[in-house]
Amino acid sequence: MSLWVDKYRPKSLDELHYHNELSDRLKSLAASGDFPHMLFYGPSGAGKKTRIACTLRQLFGPGVEKLKIDQRIFFSPSKRKLEINIVQSNFHIEITPSEAGIYDRVVIQELLKEIAQTQQVDLNARHRFKVVIINEADTLSRDAQAALRRTMEKYMSNMRIILCANSTSRLIAPIKSRCLLIRVAAPSTEEIHKVLEYVAKRVGVDLPPEAADTIAEDSCGNLRKALLVFEALKMQSPDLSGPLTIAKPDWETYCHKVADLIVSEQTPARVLEVRSKLYELLSHCIPPTVIIKTIAERVVERVDDSLRADIMHWAAVYEVRMRIGSKKIFHLEAWVVKVMSLYKQFFYQMDLSEFD
Ligand code: ADP
């Protein structure tokens, strides 16, 4: 039994519920013989992958839905074995090079070269090129991006690349300039409301408008979250009546607890306590950038107005350092200590001003 997010995922561009002008543009691009490399970007749950899948279907027909999953093995320059999952059909191939960590360049280089040098064998295929979808393109290392750029220049004739990313800021300019940029904005509350109503109708359940509003507002533009919450709530109370309480995910509650610890005491002992909690979050695979963002948002809610800008500024600084460096915990902890020192200084200055 599949989840509603998968079961009721639109399959063609005509079935997409929102951003209709974008769907029309993609349709005409697919119809024109000249299909470019593309970069789809937007927040998580905005519908990027769904839109890419629909575009592929428009390009090649229902054959793209016949998927097979393979595991490929690559070797790093130091002969380390890298196992990468690849989803493919006769017309496209989907990879997430970030699975290979710092060796993503090897995956990009070898795989793309191999695809680019093989001709489309299906004589009935509507297009001569194969599409390569690269997920999480914004987490690609500089080396991998440079390799990608060279491949894009060299093998345009029998390969098109579709990149999927949350933001374009971490992609190098030459890649951006070789792609058609497609921004998939988060759906509005009304649009999410409409999708929820549609799914409720397909499932055959009654969704009161107030419940749909609560779910849509809570999801903050993340349609996947809205549909998952809808399904979870439906399991808990089948009639969805009365005020709904949407439980926060455990990691979010845990991050809020860490923020409260930071605000309530600023001592070396507390830093140690926070460190163990940060390790706990990291070991449960919560991305460090999400940890710092969630804790920072909670901390600024609880401190004086004058401190907010500084706390966010330092969160941004340490986030950048975290991306550049390899030991995430160092930067997370450095930010925690910075916030504690800012907070202490603030109280110290308040005390001094009382003496004046
Ligand atoms: P992203 O790739 O941006 O994180 P997805 O494409 O995975 O988002 O979309 C998340 C879920 O939202 C999908 O599983 C699908 O059920 C739903 N969805 C996405 N786009 C649409 C749409 N245009 N109309 C209806 N449902 C959609």
Side-chain angles (χ1 to χ4, degrees):
M1 196 190 84
S2 54
L3 292 167
W4 293 352
V5 264
D6 295 322
K7 206 165 163 191
Y8 302 109
R9 184 194 285 262
K11 288 208 163 58
S12 69
L13 287 171
D14 291 317
E15 288 172 34
L16 293 175
H17 289 84
Y18 51 91
H19 301 336
N20 293 337
E21 32 351 297
L22 184 54
S23 309
D24 291 342
R25 246 174 76 202
L26 290 171
K27 228 184 283 175
S28 53
L29 269 171
S32 74
D34 195 17
F35 193 78
H37 296 306
M38 287 202 197
L39 164 57
F40 283 74
Y41 66 101
S44 186
K48 298 181 293 299
K49 278 210 196 116
T50 310
R51 217 160 270 270
I52 293 174
C54 295
T55 312
L56 282 181
R57 197 173 193 271
Q58 187 79 25
L59 267 175
F60 296 104
V64 281
E65 283 161 24
K66 280 190 206 134
L67 296 174
K68 63 174 195 258
I69 301 172
D70 273 345
Q71 200 171 44
R72 282 286 304 269
I73 297 182
F74 298 92
F75 287 95
S76 72
S78 53
K79 298 279 171 278
R80 245 182 79 175
K81 205 165 143 190
L82 309 165
E83 286 176 9
I84 300 289
N85 289 317
I86 291 177
V87 180
Q88 58 182 332
S89 73
N90 282 345
F91 311 101
H92 83 289
I93 182 161
E94 187 176 336
I95 49 171
T96 311
S98 55
E99 282 175 25
I102 52 168
Y103 300 113
D104 51 358
R105 181 187 60 81
V106 182
V107 178
I108 289 277
Q109 231 168 12
E110 293 195 11
L111 199 72
L112 293 197
K113 214 157 130 194
E114 184 187 305
I115 299 166
Q117 287 171 348
T118 43
Q119 295 281 336
Q120 172 65 270
V121 281
D122 188 345
L123 292 177
N124 298 324
R126 291 190 201 163
H127 298 275
R128 303 284 358 126
F129 56 80
K130 226 179 181 179
V131 175
V132 180
I133 302 175
I134 301 182
N135 290 325
E136 296 176 23
D138 46 352
T139 56
L140 287 178
S141 65
R142 285 278 159 150
D143 276 355
Q145 293 193 34
L148 181 61
R149 167 204 177 167
R150 284 193 296 275
T151 331
M152 281 169 127
E153 278 169 359
K154 229 168 150 183
Y155 302 110
M156 180 76 183
S157 60
N158 44 359
M159 181 172 70
R160 295 290 185 282
I161 300 211
I162 298 187
L163 301 168
C164 184
N166 282 337
S167 111
T168 58
S169 61
R170 282 188 293 277
L171 286 168
I172 55 172
I175 289 192
K176 284 189 266 189
S177 65
R178 280 171 181 75
C179 292
L180 176 70
L181 268 60
I182 306 273
R183 178 166 176 264
V184 185
S188 66
T189 313
E190 293 77 44
E191 285 162 343
I192 294 185
H193 191 130
K194 263 197 248 160
V195 177
L196 288 171
E197 271 177 2
Y198 165 79
V199 172
K201 215 159 113 192
R202 294 271 313 261
V203 187
V205 299
D206 205 23
L207 176 68
E210 313 79 58
D213 276 340
T214 317
I215 298 171
E217 271 161 32
D218 179 79
S219 67
C220 300
N222 187 335
L223 185 52
R224 184 185 306 109
K225 185 174 170 197
L227 288 169
L228 287 170
V229 166
F230 175 30
E231 190 170 358
L233 287 175
K234 183 78 193 85
M235 296 292 163
Q236 283 164 19
S237 74
D239 59 350
L240 289 167
S241 56
L244 296 175
T245 39
I246 298 172
K248 281 199 169 55
D250 287 348
W251 62 266
E252 203 173 323
T253 319
Y254 205 80
C255 283
H256 286 176
K257 268 194 205 145
V258 176
D260 295 346
L261 285 176
I262 297 171
V263 176
S264 58
E265 190 186 312
Q266 297 81 35
T267 57
R270 187 47 66 89
V271 175
L272 272 183
E273 206 177 320
V274 170
R275 177 192 294 173
S276 64
K277 297 222 167 346
L278 292 175
Y279 267 128
E280 188 76 12
L281 284 163
L282 289 172
S283 64
H284 282 82
C285 298
I286 309 297
T289 45
V290 173
I291 299 178
I292 202 167
K293 182 169 165 268
T294 318
I295 300 181
E297 278 170 358
R298 174 74 167 191
V299 168
V300 293
E301 275 174 22
R302 328 208 107 210
V303 296
D304 192 83
D305 282 357
S306 59
L307 279 171
R308 289 182 179 170
D310 263 354
I311 290 176
M312 278 306 182
H313 165 77
W314 286 106
V317 170
Y318 283 104
E319 197 207 325
V320 173
R321 290 187 191 168
M322 199 154 65
R323 284 184 194 282
I324 300 168
S326 55
K327 282 272 179 208
K328 310 297 177 200
I329 187 76
F330 290 173
H331 306 283
L332 281 174
E333 197 173 323
W335 175 72
V336 169
V337 174
K338 183 79 197 173
V339 173
M340 285 188 175
S341 98
L342 284 172
Y343 201 51
K344 268 215 135 152
Q345 258 173 27
F346 171 73
F347 279 112
Y348 183 63
Q349 274 159 8
M350 286 244 297
D351 286 346
L352 282 183
S353 59
E354 269 174 27
F355 283 118
D356 291 341

